[in-house]
Structure formats: structure tokens, C-alpha cells
Amino acid sequence: MEDKRQMLLDTFNYRFATKRFDASRKIDDADFETILETGRLSPSSLGLEPWKFLVIQDPEVREALKPISWGAQGQLDTASHFVLILARKNVRPENEYVQKLLRDVKQMDTDMIEQMSEKTSAFQNDNLNLYESDRALWDWASKQTYIALGNMMTSAAFLGVDSCPIEGFQYDEVSRILAEKGYFDDTEFAPSVMVAFGYREEDPKRAKTRRSKEDVIEWI
């Protein structure tokens, strides 16, 4: 057990936000499929999985994103794999996507779907006030994508693969370009966060720094 605990901590200490990757090195297909699978298997509020992972490997598409992705300049050129995580819009219980998920994936019967829909609506509206605006509902879905993001980066580090999460881009422009190319339906999705994967070009210049446990953790 001690070995497992240390292995887990070593994984977190290994990971850092890689700004440039070794462009000559590519991630093994099996390793990257495992990384994606840990994203797919990630938990989400109410189990609604409001995400889609767009793996952008086409050099022309990456080049088109560079002028509108100031935080990904080094990564777009050098990453072995580059992912845009999309968050689903309008994740309400009456939405066709939600109904299909409950019926076909979770295999709920009609009564269970009705009960789940009522509970979901009450939770979203009464507890979180998500029906105040479409943006509030999308923000809630976007928060779920960060669970998948974190799991993919951790699993990558466990496999010795580097990564970098990226929020530095023009969201509306990225959405417009990729939607116009037919890569996703912008009435259903909007960009949430980018993440690049590959192998570091050089090691970080200093050790990982974080606030102390005393500053971060309080037992009550």
C-alpha cells in the first residue's frame, strides 16, 4: 500500500504544464487511447457526461487555431496530440440528449426516466439556479469537463506523458472556425478547455511549488 501511495504522489509531482513538447516524439496509440478512456470514464454531476473530446491532429486545423489561441502557441506546433474539450449546451432533463442517455445508455424504464427528470429539474433549478440563463447552464456543464480534464492529465503523467491545460484562446472564434468546418454543432456544444499531450522538450527549471498543507487543509 505504501508503494501505491508513493506511486500516486510521484505521478502528481511529475506533472507540470508543458509549454513546448519534443515534436519528434509521438505518444503510443495504446497509451493515448487509455488517456482518452480515463476521460470518458470520469464522473459528472448526475452522470450526464456533458462533454465531447475533439482530438485535433490535422496540421491545417492547428495552424488555423494559432492566431486565436494565444495560450497554445508552443503546444499547437509541438504536441503529439491536441484535444479540445467541448461542453454540451442546454443539459436539461427534457433535452433529447438527456432523454436518450437515460433511455439507451443507463437503460432506465419510462417511470425511472420521469422520476430522474423531475429530480434533475429540481436540482438544477432549486439548488443551483441554473435556469436563470443559458450561460449559467453551460457554465455548469463546463465545470464537469474539468473533472475529465484532470483525470486525463493525471493518467497521462502516470504513463510518463506530459500535458498542458489551456484556457488562453478566443472561445467564440474557436467555436466559429471549427463549427464552420463541420467538426461540431455549435447549437449543441461550445469550447470549454484545451489540453495538449506529448513529451517535454526540457525538464522544468525548478521543483513543483504549492502552498503548505496547513494553508490548504482544515479539519472541522
Side-chain angles (χ1 to χ4, degrees), residues 46 118-131:
L46 302 174
E118 290 177 358
K119 290 178 180 178
T120 298
S121 181
F123 170 70
Q124 290 180 324
N125 194 36
D126 299 341
N127 293 113
L128 299 178
N129 299 316
L130 298 180
Y131 297 163

Side-chain angles (χ1 to χ4, degrees), residues 1-212:
M1 184 57 69
E2 180 63 30
D3 288 343
K4 288 183 179 180
R5 286 193 288 266
Q6 190 58 53
M7 186 181 299
L8 181 59
L9 292 175
D10 287 345
T11 296
F12 276 84
N13 278 302
Y14 174 83
R15 194 212 66 78
F16 84 108
T18 305
K19 304 305 181 184
R20 289 190 63 84
F21 299 90
D22 182 347
S24 68
R25 298 184 65 189
K26 299 301 177 185
I27 302 170
D28 177 80
D29 288 346
D31 282 350
F32 194 68
E33 285 298 321
T34 299
I35 292 168
L36 290 175
E37 187 69 354
T38 61
R40 187 185 72 86
L41 293 172
S42 294
S44 58
S45 184
L46 302 174
L48 295 180
E49 306 172 41
W51 48 55
K52 180 174 180 148
F53 309 142
L54 196 62
V55 184
I56 303 174
Q57 299 300 86
D58 188 329
E60 291 186 5
V61 177
R62 289 196 189 187
E63 192 63 30
L65 292 178
K66 281 187 69 177
I68 53 174
S69 304
W70 57 267
Q73 296 299 295
Q75 296 91 337
L76 280 166
D77 282 339
T78 62
S80 170
H81 292 71
F82 195 90
V83 180
L84 175 64
I85 303 181
L86 304 172
R88 189 174 286 276
K89 297 179 177 180
N90 194 33
V91 187
R92 298 171 183 256
E94 66 271 19
N95 180 276
E96 181 182 355
Y97 163 76
V98 175
Q99 290 294 304
K100 187 174 187 299
L101 179 74
L102 298 180
R103 183 182 65 249
D104 298 342
V105 178
K106 299 186 181 299
Q107 298 184 336
M108 294 184 179
D109 60 29
T110 302
D111 289 340
M112 290 179 66
I113 290 175
E114 184 175 344
Q115 293 175 21
M116 181 64 176
S117 296
E118 290 177 358
K119 290 178 180 178
T120 298
S121 181
F123 170 70
Q124 290 180 324
N125 194 36
D126 299 341
N127 293 113
L128 299 178
N129 299 316
L130 298 180
Y131 297 163
E132 290 180 339
S133 68
D134 291 340
R135 178 58 192 251
L137 195 58
W138 181 82
D139 282 342
W140 174 74
S142 181
K143 287 198 302 185
Q144 311 310 311
T145 70
Y146 278 67
I147 302 173
L149 169 70
N151 285 341
M152 285 194 286
M153 290 194 299
T154 300
S155 62
F158 180 80
L159 296 171
V161 174
D162 293 297
S163 62
C164 186
I166 300 158
E167 292 183 319
F169 61 95
Q170 297 174 29
Y171 287 70
D172 290 343
E173 280 299 294
V174 167
S175 181
R176 180 185 64 79
I177 287 176
L178 296 179
E180 286 180 354
K181 290 179 178 293
Y183 292 122
F184 69 89
D185 183 350
D186 61 1
T187 67
E188 295 289 330
F189 293 98
S192 179
V193 64
M194 296 173 170
V195 56
F197 296 96
Y199 296 97
R200 60 189 67 180
E201 188 175 63
E202 58 182 29
D203 288 330
K205 292 181 172 57
R206 63 177 184 172
K208 186 185 293 289
T209 59
R210 291 292 188 272
R211 291 158 56 208
S212 69

